[in-house]
């Protein structure tokens, strides 16, 4: 019985299967957590989604920006971007079922026994774990509700860039989605920055969200996230675990065994 977390798949199905074989993943006893961005840019997003859906209760996913964008594209009846390589998914006979499977997944997962938060991009430094889970749960219910179309229509846009208890329902939805799925850097005013994607040493004018003092002082809490391939797994904090190591960009796919902290990787093919 083992619990694993794995970084952004982005359609890298071959590497995903090889990595699971390396750790002898057994879906009848093991649990696999995915930090999101299952789809887009890589060669086989369709196979990734079908495989995960068939694993049933042994897989848990926190949605990434690409996953939410896929669901929104479906809801808004739009065509996928060519460079996302999603044409075969959109023409698949089981496309609606795969969208529905993805839509059932939350923005954040709290693992009490590991005192660990799992999410795609990170934890807003304006929130403690309890507030973050409350906001994640509220936003998740909105994109799963009968009003999902309304929320997908209003999901896009960068503001508000800073959290406030005074935000409207739609504003707090957008802030929550952006913080959990798109955040990387913060400005000196603690606003989220959505322009820069490079490694922190190339972006000294901005602060990575996990370097904020409110995050650094979370001593007995771990945060597992993906989304930021240019970190290459480096956060300088053993409790802040970056699992996106850029498989889709020709680097590698990373898997963490939660109990032991053991890292296993599979190079991009
Ligand atoms: Mn992402």
């Amino acid at each position: 019985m083992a619990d694993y977390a794995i970084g952004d798949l982005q359609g890298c199905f071959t590497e995903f299967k090889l990595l699971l074989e390396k750790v002898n993943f057994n879906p009848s006893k093991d649990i696999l957590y995915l930090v999101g961005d299952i789809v887009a840019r890589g060669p086989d997003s369709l196979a990734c989604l079908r495989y995960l859906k068939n694993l049933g209760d042994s897989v848990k996913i926190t949605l990434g920006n690409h996953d939410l964008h896929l669901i929104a594209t479906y809801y808004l009846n739009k065509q996928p971007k060519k460079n996302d390589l999603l044409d075969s998914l959109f023409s698949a006979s089981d496309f609606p079922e795969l969208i529905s499977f993805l839509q059932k997944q939350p923005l954040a997962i709290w693992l009490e026994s590991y005192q660990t938060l799992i999410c795609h991009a990170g934890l807003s430094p304006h929130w403690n774990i309890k507030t973050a889970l409350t906001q994640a749960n509220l936003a998740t219910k909105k994109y799963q509700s009968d009003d999902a179309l309304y929320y997908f229509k209003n999901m896009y846009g960068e503001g508000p860039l800073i959290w406030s208890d005074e935000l409207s329902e739609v504003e707090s939805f957008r802030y929550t989605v952006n913080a959990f799925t798109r955040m990387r850097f913060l400005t000196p005013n603690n606003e989220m920055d959505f322009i820069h994607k490079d490694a922190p040493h190339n972006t000294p004018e901005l602060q990575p969200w996990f370097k904020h003092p409110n995050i650094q002082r979370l001593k007995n809490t771990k945060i597992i996230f993906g989304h930021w391939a240019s970190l290459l797994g480096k956060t300088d904090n053993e409790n802040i675990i970056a699992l996106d190591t850029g498989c889709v960009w020709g680097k590698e796919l990373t898997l963490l065994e939660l109990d032991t902290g053991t890292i296993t990787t599979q190079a991009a093919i």
Side-chain angles (χ1 to χ4, degrees):
M1 241 182 87
D3 295 324
Y4 301 109
I6 194 159
D8 306 30
L9 299 185
Q10 295 211 249
C12 295
F13 186 62
T14 305
E15 292 86 345
F16 177 41
K17 288 298 297 292
L18 288 169
L19 193 47
L20 294 182
E21 279 167 28
K22 278 189 185 180
V23 297
N24 295 312
F25 173 68
N26 181 346
S28 63
K29 330 185 275 190
D30 302 334
I31 304 259
L32 185 62
Y33 295 92
L34 292 106
V35 297
D37 280 359
I38 307 304
V39 300
R41 310 280 163 84
D44 210 341
S45 297
L46 176 58
C48 288
L49 272 181
R50 279 180 175 160
Y51 182 81
L52 292 171
K53 180 169 175 278
N54 285 336
L55 286 178
D57 289 342
S58 55
V59 66
K60 320 255 180 229
I61 300 170
T62 60
L63 294 182
N65 51 310
H66 286 293
D67 307 315
L68 276 167
H69 180 66
L70 169 64
I71 304 169
T73 306
Y74 173 82
Y75 264 80
L76 300 171
N77 213 5
K78 293 192 170 161
Q79 291 302 307
K81 290 187 215 133
K82 280 288 162 224
N83 64 351
D84 280 347
L85 305 183
L86 293 172
D87 286 353
S88 63
L89 175 57
F90 274 70
S91 56
S93 57
D94 53 347
F95 183 43
E97 288 84 358
L98 295 170
I99 290 292
S100 151
F101 162 72
L102 215 44
Q103 197 176 356
K104 289 192 181 86
Q105 313 303 325
L107 288 178
I109 293 174
W110 172 251
L111 301 177
E112 182 67 26
S113 58
Y114 295 107
Q115 292 292 295
T116 293
L117 178 76
I118 301 180
C119 59
H120 182 62
L123 170 65
S124 163
H126 303 295
W127 293 338
N128 58 25
I129 295 286
K130 188 165 174 265
T131 311
L133 291 172
T134 301
Q135 293 306 326
N137 192 32
L138 286 171
T140 298
K141 280 192 177 136
K142 287 183 169 110
Y143 67 68
Q144 293 175 343
S145 74
D146 291 343
D147 295 328
L149 176 62
Y150 170 77
Y151 284 101
F152 284 122
K153 273 184 185 160
N154 287 284
M155 187 172 75
Y156 293 94
E158 319 237 296
L161 299 173
I162 201 156
W163 176 252
S164 148
D165 292 333
E166 312 296 313
L167 299 180
S168 70
E169 291 246 337
V170 160
E171 286 172 331
S172 73
F173 175 76
R174 202 185 295 131
Y175 179 88
T176 303
V177 165
N178 281 334
F180 275 118
T181 71
R182 295 178 62 212
M183 179 174 66
R184 288 188 184 90
F185 286 108
L186 306 172
T187 69
N189 298 325
N190 289 321
E191 293 180 341
M192 294 186 285
D193 167 276
F194 295 118
I195 299 162
H196 297 83
K197 299 181 172 189
D198 208 345
H201 63 264
N202 292 326
T203 320
E205 68 278 21
L206 298 172
Q207 183 181 51
W209 64 268
F210 53 83
K211 292 284 187 188
H212 191 285
N214 290 354
I215 303 294
Q216 290 289 322
R217 76 169 68 99
L218 295 170
K219 290 291 178 229
N220 298 312
T221 303
K222 286 192 166 73
I223 302 172
I224 295 176
F225 69 106
H227 184 58
W228 197 342
S230 60
L231 289 177
L232 293 172
K234 289 185 187 69
T235 65
D236 303 323
N237 182 331
E238 60 181 2
N239 289 330
I240 311 284
I241 303 163
L243 290 185
D244 183 7
T245 45
C247 190
V248 74
W249 309 118
K251 301 271 194 315
E252 57 191 23
L253 192 61
T254 295
L255 175 146
L256 167 76
E257 186 175 349
L258 294 180
D259 198 26
T260 61
T262 308
I263 294 271
T264 308
T265 59
Q266 169 63 50
I269 303 288

